[in-house]
Amino acid sequence: MTASTRSGQAALGPRGARGRRIALLDGLRLVAALMVVFHHYVGYGGGNTASDSAWGRPANTVFHGGAAVGIYLWTGICLFFLISGFVICMSSWGRGLADFAKSRFIRLYPAYWFAVFATTAVLMCWPLVRRPLGVFDVLANLTMLQTAFHVDGVDAAYWTLWTEMQFYLLFAIVVWKGVTYRRVVIFCSLWTVASLLTDYIQVTPLDEIVVSSTSSFFIAGLAFYLMHRFRPNLLLWGIVGISWILSTRYALNHQRDVSAVLGLDVPLWPAVLLVTLAYLVLAAVALGWGGTGRIRWRWLTVAGALTYPLYLLHEAIGWTAIRLLRPHLSPWPSVALVTASMLVAAWLVHRFVERPLAPRLKDGMTRAIRDFRATPAAAAPVGTTLPAQGDPAQESVAAG
């Protein structure tokens, strides 16, 4: 880093301790997850015909007013993406690429592997709302890269995981160089321009890299974190403003798609309103409006821990449970019971899958990274006696 860069960073001045966990974001993540749950159970129901709906008929004929609200709550995903941009920028500050990759792997995969197997098992036992995938498709799902292989997800909700993965791969470029204010701003600007150009010229392969439809949410989240860590300024507000405009366009298009699938003609403005509200909420958290920075309720951390397992488990398993409960319970009690059960299941996954596996995966990946760094880059000359396998330190000494 040059002297001018250092002085620029000092001039901005990090506003206090900015690396610590923000409890309110954990609560917002659970709110976003519950929005998606409500959308799938009450607003969507699994389809618009008796054969593919968990309710045996379109959800809007079951819930009426509830479905009129639920049809818009897919926008919880938009809040997810905004928070993701904020949190990834915060958690990767001062970290190297290896640590970034390790933290993402440990965070994402243990609960995901369990959810893939659990969802497959439920669908094999009760193929009521959808049929399970074949063995090789399930194995492809374990990579979390099934979309890249043109393989269906075990659960339809997993499409967002591929979008998140694309964001991580792009932001890894910044992490590789070192996360700084200037680099994040340049990254946000270039990604915005690339998204606009990709959308304009309609190059599908390039769009798979740029993720033009949803990039605005991640970009805004990154800019909000820079406001939080340093201070808001016209440049950052400009990035957020452009991102909001692009996000409202996405909201309109996605709402049209959802409405078309359900065969309903509904107003589009509530989706735009909810996306705008998501932006305002994250701005409040980033800048501490209304005393949001003082919120430290301990239960919010628990709420955050439930979010990811809840999202992974809720859709296909929840629809199956609703179909099984349908002869025994009326709709609203069924929704309440299944949602509560999914929250309990999410806590069990966190307690007995994520927490035990995370430290083991961390140790294993740490050793693997250490071994990789200790192993000499150049191949040993022919005839060289290699040290005993599994001792990278000896390999390094021998190479010297």
Side-chain angles (χ1 to χ4, degrees), residues 119-121 123-127 130-134 138 154:
T119 302
T120 300
L123 294 178
M124 289 179 66
C125 293
W126 298 283
R130 62 177 299 181
R131 302 193 67 80
L133 299 182
V138 172
V154 167

Side-chain angles (χ1 to χ4, degrees), residues 92-123:
S92 61
W93 208 280
R95 279 182 154 179
L97 185 58
D99 286 340
F100 174 74
K102 180 174 65 176
S103 68
R104 291 299 86 205
F105 187 91
I106 293 169
R107 177 70 186 94
L108 294 178
Y109 276 92
Y112 174 74
W113 287 331
F114 177 86
V116 166
F117 287 124
T119 302
T120 300
V122 168
L123 294 178

Side-chain angles (χ1 to χ4, degrees), residues 78 87 103 108 144 285 287 341:
C78 303
V87 170
S103 68
L108 294 178
M144 206 181 287
V285 173
L287 302 176
S341 299

Side-chain angles (χ1 to χ4, degrees), residues 202-225:
Q202 295 290 306
V203 179
T204 302
L206 184 59
D207 190 45
E208 288 298 318
I209 299 172
V210 175
V211 207
S212 60
S213 61
T214 54
S215 61
S216 59
F217 297 103
F218 299 110
I219 292 167
L222 293 169
F224 276 131
Y225 179 68

Side-chain angles (χ1 to χ4, degrees), residues 53-172:
S53 172
W55 301 108
R57 54 196 175 106
N60 67 304
T61 66
V62 177
F63 295 101
H64 305 292
V69 174
I71 195 173
Y72 298 106
L73 294 187
W74 61 267
T75 50
I77 294 210
C78 303
L79 180 55
F80 268 134
F81 290 161
L82 282 166
I83 294 172
S84 181
F86 188 103
V87 170
I88 291 303
C89 193
M90 177 173 65
S91 62
S92 61
W93 208 280
R95 279 182 154 179
L97 185 58
D99 286 340
F100 174 74
K102 180 174 65 176
S103 68
R104 291 299 86 205
F105 187 91
I106 293 169
R107 177 70 186 94
L108 294 178
Y109 276 92
Y112 174 74
W113 287 331
F114 177 86
V116 166
F117 287 124
T119 302
T120 300
V122 168
L123 294 178
M124 289 179 66
C125 293
W126 298 283
L128 303 175
V129 294
R130 62 177 299 181
R131 302 193 67 80
L133 299 182
V135 173
F136 294 106
D137 286 349
V138 172
L139 292 176
N141 269 256
L142 292 176
T143 67
M144 206 181 287
L145 305 176
Q146 61 272 10
T147 303
F149 302 145
H150 302 287
V151 172
D152 290 337
V154 167
D155 193 301
Y158 295 171
W159 72 268
T160 61
L161 304 181
W162 173 241
T163 302
E164 289 270 356
M165 191 73 73
Q166 290 170 295
F167 166 50
Y168 299 156
L169 291 173
L170 287 172
F171 195 67

Side-chain angles (χ1 to χ4, degrees), residues 177-256:
K177 298 296 291 183
V179 181
T180 64
Y181 178 92
R182 180 176 298 178
R183 286 174 181 151
V184 175
V185 167
I186 292 172
F187 175 80
C188 290
S189 302
L190 291 177
W191 196 8
T192 299
V193 172
S195 298
L196 290 170
L197 289 176
T198 302
D199 190 54
Y200 177 74
I201 61 181
Q202 295 290 306
V203 179
T204 302
L206 184 59
D207 190 45
E208 288 298 318
I209 299 172
V210 175
V211 207
S212 60
S213 61
T214 54
S215 61
S216 59
F217 297 103
F218 299 110
I219 292 167
L222 293 169
F224 276 131
Y225 179 68
L226 293 181
M227 292 184 188
H228 173 76
R229 185 178 180 91
F230 299 97
R231 63 169 179 260
N233 58 44
L234 188 60
L235 174 60
L236 296 178
W237 279 120
I239 292 172
V240 169
I242 293 171
S243 296
W244 172 77
I245 293 171
L246 297 176
S247 295
T248 58
R249 181 170 176 266
Y250 172 78
L252 291 170
N253 291 335
H254 194 84
Q255 188 61 56
R256 286 192 189 98

Side-chain angles (χ1 to χ4, degrees), residues 308-352:
Y308 184 51
L310 173 63
Y311 183 81
L312 293 173
L313 295 172
H314 82 276
E315 186 174 315
I317 296 177
W319 281 339
T320 301
I322 287 170
R323 177 66 73 89
L324 292 171
L325 287 171
R326 199 173 70 205
H328 311 288
L329 278 179
S330 56
W332 281 114
S334 291
V335 169
L337 179 59
V338 172
T339 302
S341 299
M342 290 295 104
L343 286 167
V344 171
W347 182 86
L348 292 173
V349 171
H350 171 67
R351 175 63 182 84
F352 295 105

